[in-house]
Amino acid sequence: MMRRRDLFTLLGGAAAAWPLAARAQQAAVPVIGYLGSPFPDDEYVTVPFLQGLKETGYVEGQNVAVEYRWAENQYDRLPALAADLVRRRVAVLVAAGTPAALAAKPATPTIPIVFSAGGDPVALGLVASLNRPGANVTGIANLGAELTPKQLQLLHELLPNAAVFGVLTDPGFPGIQSNIADLQAAARTLGLQLIAVYARTDSDLEPAFTIFSQQRVGAVLFGPSNFYTRHTEQLAALAAGHALPAIYQFREFALAGGLMSYGTSLGYAYRQVGIYSGRILKGEKPADLPVQQVTKIELVINLKTAKALGLKVSQDMLSIADEVIE
């Protein structure tokens, strides 16, 4: 028969064990390291990323934690930030954007890495192949710089009498010189002149658009840059303020008042990053998850902006648009 003192001892021991069990359960919550090139308020990508995680059963603050590191568009900070997350032994390392992906891969040969990057991940050296990534890296590949020649063609169709076009470029973005060379070649094929202006900080933007106005460019394109993606609304406002038609890769630009966007869905890409991260947390290996290529391309036209600029958008162009904002 159990004595009262033994019973109290047993209950007391159990009560003391409960906080320990709770702490052990809390310590078991997996941690995802999130390495981003832009600034902490980059909701264009974090919101769909967390939605993708949720679809696999992981909710930030409940059964998964996320440690964010932001380079604030200073790409040279990315290697140190990646190393910091590796030292913290995160369960998955998410690399948001091409610069972050290129910094994350050499930081660890073991921690699973899920990237979202523009361009060809094989050519960038991120994976061995798309179907069989190998090692500890997989992710989502967006069409980015490859689309700028088509963007130039769309602007040329809208403004057939314009002979000079401008492109805003981020000089620190990987592969930007090759991108500009391809775009220059496309411009020559169309018999056009292209003026490239560099900008990678807030203070660069207004002077860049002033140069475009002084050079009397017919319209403006934007090279790939996490910095530009974060400044979508400001870029749209600057284009409107200088009465310049402009086209950008992501739909958010047209929604913010830009004339047109032509490219892949940013939200879709980062939702898939979240889904892949959740699948890895559940036990799947990056080497077994093929790199997904986002191939659906959307053309969005803002007719309100076109009218404000005094532009007539042809019925042919409107007919191929995926979305028209009126």
Side-chain angles (χ1 to χ4, degrees):
M1 179 179 296
M2 182 177 293
R3 293 175 298 179
R4 286 171 58 89
R5 187 173 65 180
D6 294 335
L7 176 61
F8 290 148
T9 301
L10 176 61
L11 290 175
W18 290 338
L20 292 175
R23 286 196 296 271
Q25 184 177 4
Q26 186 178 14
V29 171
V31 178
I32 294 174
Y34 188 103
L35 181 65
S37 301
F39 290 75
D41 58 351
D42 195 24
E43 295 182 355
Y44 288 130
V45 295
T46 54
V47 170
F49 163 69
L50 293 174
Q51 177 59 38
L53 263 183
K54 187 176 182 180
E55 290 177 27
T56 64
Y58 290 97
V59 178
E60 184 185 18
Q62 294 184 17
N63 59 351
V64 68
V66 183
E67 287 269 353
Y68 295 95
R69 298 291 183 274
W70 304 97
E72 300 182 350
N73 206 47
Q74 299 177 48
Y75 300 138
D76 57 350
R77 294 181 56 197
L78 287 166
L81 294 173
D84 179 48
L85 290 171
V86 170
R87 282 193 299 270
R88 292 176 181 271
R89 299 183 180 179
V90 295
V92 178
L93 178 54
V94 169
T98 304
L102 292 173
K105 184 180 179 182
T108 173
T110 54
I111 295 175
I113 296 172
V114 182
F115 65 79
S116 175
D120 181 355
V122 177
L124 289 169
L126 294 173
V127 295
S129 73
L130 299 180
N131 289 332
R132 297 179 179 274
N136 62 317
V137 183
T138 189
I140 313 300
N142 292 299
L143 293 173
E146 302 92 335
L147 298 177
T148 48
K150 178 61 177 178
Q151 292 169 358
L152 177 62
Q153 182 183 337
L154 287 168
L155 286 176
H156 180 51
E157 290 176 13
L158 184 63
L159 300 154
N161 295 324
V164 183
F165 290 80
V167 57
L168 194 68
T169 63
D170 181 345
F173 197 84
I176 192 62
Q177 296 304 325
S178 175
N179 172 225
I180 296 302
D182 291 343
L183 194 55
Q184 291 281 13
R188 286 193 295 270
T189 300
L190 296 170
L192 304 173
Q193 180 184 353
L194 190 70
I195 295 176
V197 176
Y198 293 119
R200 66 172 307 182
T201 65
D202 290 345
S203 60
D204 293 335
L205 295 179
E206 176 63 47
F209 275 85
T210 299
I211 292 173
F212 288 141
S213 294
Q214 292 171 345
Q215 296 292 326
R216 300 184 181 277
V217 302
V220 174
L221 306 87
F222 302 94
S225 172
N226 300 97
F227 172 66
Y228 298 162
T229 302
R230 178 181 176 269
H231 285 76
T232 297
E233 294 181 3
Q234 185 178 355
L235 292 174
L238 282 167
H242 287 264
L244 283 170
I247 187 170
Y248 191 45
Q249 178 180 356
F250 299 117
R251 174 177 177 267
E252 288 77 9
F253 178 74
L255 292 178
L259 175 62
M260 290 194 296
S261 66
Y262 180 77
T264 55
S265 169
L266 195 64
Y268 174 83
Y270 279 90
R271 179 171 152 264
Q272 296 306 310
V273 169
I275 290 173
Y276 260 17
S277 299
R279 289 175 64 177
I280 290 172
L281 289 178
K282 288 178 178 292
E284 295 189 60
K285 298 182 182 303
D288 299 329
L289 296 173
V291 173
Q292 292 188 38
Q293 289 182 289
V294 183
T295 56
K296 185 180 187 305
I297 302 170
E298 300 174 328
L299 171 62
V300 181
I301 300 174
N302 191 319
L303 270 187
K304 289 182 180 179
T305 302
K307 290 176 182 177
L309 291 168
L311 296 175
K312 174 73 173 177
V313 183
S314 71
Q315 197 58 44
D316 287 344
M317 184 172 288
L318 289 174
S319 68
I320 64 172
D322 296 276
E323 183 178 356
V324 176
I325 300 170
E326 299 186 79

